[in-house]
Amino acid sequence: MRRRVLTGVVAAGLVLTALPATATAATATPAPEAAAAPGLEAAAAGAVAPIAWKACPPSTLTGVPPEQHQNFSCAHYRVPIDHDNAALGTIDISLLRRHARQPSAKIGSLFLNPGGPGGSGLRMPISADRYLEPEVLDRFDLVGFDPRGVGASNPLRCFTTAEDADEVFAKQVVVPISRAEMSDSLASYRDYAGFCDRNAGSLLDHMSTKDVVRDLDLLRAAAGDQKLTYVGFSYGTLIGATYANMFPKQTRALVLDGNVDPKLRTSDGLQYDRERARGFELSLDAYLAECDAVGPKCAFSEGDPRQKFDEIREHLRQQPIPLPGGGQVSIHTFTNGVAGSLYNFSEFGILAEQLQAVYDVLHPPAAQTLSAAAVPALTTAGHQGRFDVRPDTPYTSDDSYFAVNCSDKRFKHKQHKLPEIAALWEKESRTFGRAQAFADAAACPVWPGEEDVYAGPWRAKTETPVLVIGNYYDPATQYEFSKRMADQLGNARLVSVDAFGHCILGDSQGVDDLTADYLVELKAPAPGQVFQPDVAPFDPVLAGD
């Protein structure tokens, strides 16, 4: 069985709070042998320098057998920091190409993006056979790239030392409940903003999706393609939707899997995140109902899964649960772990086993030897485990997540309103509302970068309908968002999947076949189709996957 490579699809690096992965100063030195940045007039006219492909460094092709290295090539391509002001200088976009398997029948390039924002797409072509059909690999050069400010593309960094980053992030917890936790979390975002203001450089004001899309159009032309063919996941769907509306005549075929609501996301970030919390709750409700329905196939099914889950959560809101064998479960690791597991239904069975094990701790004499190692999904600190670095270690992460979101999302509230907002969201989304509130809505009101958003119109008509794919129980981008994406675009077809998890390509053969026909033949799917996943949740085959 194929498994998609997008582990949570960056979507999902982390899940709710999405604490940065981190950014470099914008005065980045150009990568060697990068093609020259086109002048603005030349770029507008389509006269751009071609990408100078060369052999990839072995480190970039980790996991690829040496005899297959010849099937890949790499490059850096120089783009303006500010597409409207060449005086600010340039940065370099890092690219990796997987050559079409049938060069004589090649259609063109297929650009890929995993989402985030801040997700590295550079290596996506390496494992593309997990989510794209063979005929797509035959007919396209697959191109992965790190967007500006991300990974190998001049990462935008707010910190100069790991110690500074640790000190800021140590004040943040996933679910700030006490007055001290809320105060510390808000203060940490103000400190974070201060470091970004001092260290991130001019790139900080040019990290919006609009900037990424203008880069992408240059890359499309530099790859030799008259029109863009693209597959984007999660936040990558906003890149695709923005491209379709900024450059409709240059759009060939766009596949958008796990969609955002572009209009709401770019006009009212607070309401968007509020609805995002509801999406996680809907997914959790469906997960617990499915667990109850399948009975013994779900280890958490005995009794009432909903009641048991709520009992664990409410206990954790008051105090952690010490484990007899060592370690503990906290409300922070619990919330983070459950949210992360909802991204991929292959983890549903494991999550059920660990939930039951923790529930048993609350009801002795069971689970007398349970330790943290036995329930990693519910005890792992995730993205906040940044406290084991050596003194004076250079800061090597990037801060692109907030740099993009705070450029694109419009938050009109003041940061001090967060405790009030979190309390309201918590009433309607008991498990995830507070955690979601103390993420972008806490950071963006104090973020130093300029707001620079493409906020529509979204009705431009592309020659071929945009393919919009949505799962019924997607936690991070609820199904309603995919419906809205399809409604807002000027020419789109919605394909629905009765499935759990964030994004679906690689997990539903019917959708994969339809997507291949669309990409290769430009065959738009009939409207109103609903597909099933290849494997049902809690199927035993997933347990060791």
Side-chain angles (χ1 to χ4, degrees):
M1 183 183 63
R2 293 181 306 151
R3 297 294 316 149
R4 65 170 176 270
V5 68
L6 304 178
T7 322
V9 190
V10 191
L14 209 240
V15 193
L16 289 166
T17 54
L19 280 187
T22 6
T24 78
T27 54
T29 31
E33 300 183 42
L40 297 179
E41 297 82 3
V48 301
I51 298 170
W53 297 105
K54 60 182 181 179
C56 292
S59 59
T60 303
L61 297 179
T62 301
V64 178
E67 62 272 18
Q68 295 182 20
H69 284 197
Q70 62 183 0
N71 299 327
F72 298 86
S73 51
C74 290
H76 289 88
Y77 196 81
R78 196 156 296 163
V79 300
I81 290 175
D82 182 349
H83 285 271
D84 297 318
N85 180 8
L88 277 185
T90 61
I91 54 175
D92 296 316
I93 305 299
S94 185
L95 302 141
L96 182 148
R97 176 179 64 173
R98 177 174 177 168
H99 306 157
R101 298 191 304 196
Q102 295 182 6
S104 62
K106 186 175 75 172
I107 295 170
S109 304
L110 170 57
F111 286 82
L112 306 170
N113 181 273
S120 171
L122 184 66
R123 286 171 47 85
M124 286 185 73
I126 293 174
S127 52
D129 53 344
R130 299 191 182 185
Y131 53 91
L132 294 174
E133 290 298 289
E135 54 265 43
V136 177
L137 276 64
D138 290 342
R139 304 291 300 279
F140 290 94
D141 286 339
L142 305 184
V143 181
F145 66 103
D146 284 348
R148 56 171 53 211
V150 175
S153 295
N154 290 111
L156 179 123
R157 292 196 177 112
C158 295
F159 300 97
T160 57
T161 70
E163 288 74 25
D164 286 339
D166 290 345
E167 185 176 353
V168 169
F169 299 142
K171 299 176 184 177
Q172 298 179 7
V173 294
V174 175
V175 190
I177 296 175
S178 70
R179 184 171 298 178
E181 287 176 337
M182 289 188 285
S183 178
D184 284 349
S185 184
L186 295 179
S188 76
Y189 281 115
R190 294 193 296 272
D191 292 341
Y192 190 8
F195 277 101
C196 291
D197 195 31
R198 292 189 294 274
N199 299 319
S202 58
L203 182 58
L204 186 66
D205 293 328
H206 303 284
M207 284 290 292
S208 70
T209 300
K210 179 173 70 177
D211 292 308
V212 173
V213 163
R214 294 180 76 172
D215 293 344
L216 181 57
D217 193 53
L218 289 179
L219 296 175
R220 183 268 313 161
D225 294 313
Q226 294 298 313
K227 294 186 176 184
L228 178 71
T229 305
Y230 171 86
V231 174
F233 300 86
S234 194
Y235 159 76
T237 65
L238 183 64
I239 295 175
T242 303
Y243 190 95
N245 285 277
M246 289 182 66
F247 301 104
K249 295 185 183 303
Q250 283 78 45
T251 298
R252 178 185 176 273
L254 307 179
V255 179
L256 310 182
D257 185 6
N259 290 263
V260 306
D261 175 346
K263 183 177 180 180
L264 182 61
R265 194 181 190 279
T266 56
S267 64
D268 189 345
L270 196 65
Q271 181 61 25
Y272 179 86
D273 283 358
R274 184 179 186 176
E275 295 191 19
R276 189 167 186 259
R278 292 173 185 167
F280 276 96
E281 295 289 342
L282 290 170
S283 180
L284 174 63
D285 290 346
Y287 168 81
L288 294 171
E290 183 75 8
C291 176
D292 190 40
V294 301
K297 290 174 67 176
C298 173
F300 196 54
S301 64
E302 185 177 354
D304 183 345
R306 175 84 254 183
Q307 179 274 322
K308 291 161 63 181
F309 182 92
D310 291 347
E311 180 183 343
I312 296 171
R313 184 196 60 226
E314 294 308 307
H315 183 101
L316 291 170
R317 288 178 59 84
Q318 301 301 317
Q319 60 187 9
I321 299 176
L323 302 178
Q328 66 176 21
V329 179
S330 72
I331 187 62
H332 313 299
T333 58
F334 177 81
T335 305
N336 196 63
V338 171
S341 296
L342 292 175
Y343 271 75
N344 195 334
F345 57 76
S346 68
E347 300 178 16
F348 278 18
I350 296 171
L351 176 62
E353 293 171 2
Q354 297 187 23
L355 287 171
Q356 184 62 45
V358 172
Y359 181 79
D360 287 342
V361 173
L362 295 179
H363 296 272
Q368 290 302 301
T369 61
L370 186 69
S371 69
V375 285
L378 305 178
T379 58
T380 303
H383 63 276
Q384 291 185 337
R386 299 184 175 200
F387 311 111
D388 58 350
V389 292
R390 297 176 180 175
D392 301 320
T393 304
Y395 186 66
T396 57
S397 192
D398 75 68
D399 297 285
S400 54
Y401 175 84
F402 286 118
V404 176
N405 272 347
C406 297
S407 293
D408 282 353
K409 283 181 170 179
R410 290 179 171 171
F411 290 96
K412 304 177 180 68
H413 66 284
K414 300 296 184 182
Q415 197 205 44
H416 71 268
K417 291 288 187 180
L418 252 295
E420 177 183 332
I421 291 168
L424 175 62
W425 292 11
E426 189 174 50
K427 288 181 180 179
E428 60 191 28
S429 300
R430 182 64 174 175
T431 303
F432 302 110
R434 179 170 290 273
Q436 185 66 71
F438 277 90
D440 295 10
C444 290
V446 295
W447 192 258
E450 293 182 7
E451 182 183 277
D452 182 27
V453 60
Y454 177 85
W458 301 100
R459 301 299 300 174
K461 291 190 179 296
T462 55
E463 183 177 358
T464 302
V466 176
L467 177 55
V468 175
I469 305 170
N471 285 354
Y472 283 168
Y473 308 112
D474 189 316
T477 52
Q478 59 171 292
Y479 177 65
E480 179 64 27
F481 289 176
S482 289
K483 291 170 61 179
R484 294 177 193 169
M485 173 71 87
D487 288 342
Q488 290 168 29
L489 295 179
N491 187 14
R493 295 284 172 83
L494 174 64
V495 170
S496 306
V497 192
D498 186 5
F500 290 85
H502 185 39
C503 303
I504 195 63
L505 283 179
D507 286 327
S508 173
Q509 191 61 54
V511 175
D512 295 344
D513 291 341
L514 174 151
T515 299
D517 288 344
Y518 171 78
L519 290 171
V520 174
E521 306 292 344
L522 295 181
K523 180 181 177 181
Q529 295 188 74
V530 180
F531 290 85
Q532 298 294 322
D534 294 336
V535 182
F538 302 107
D539 191 303
V541 74
L542 293 175
D545 213 6

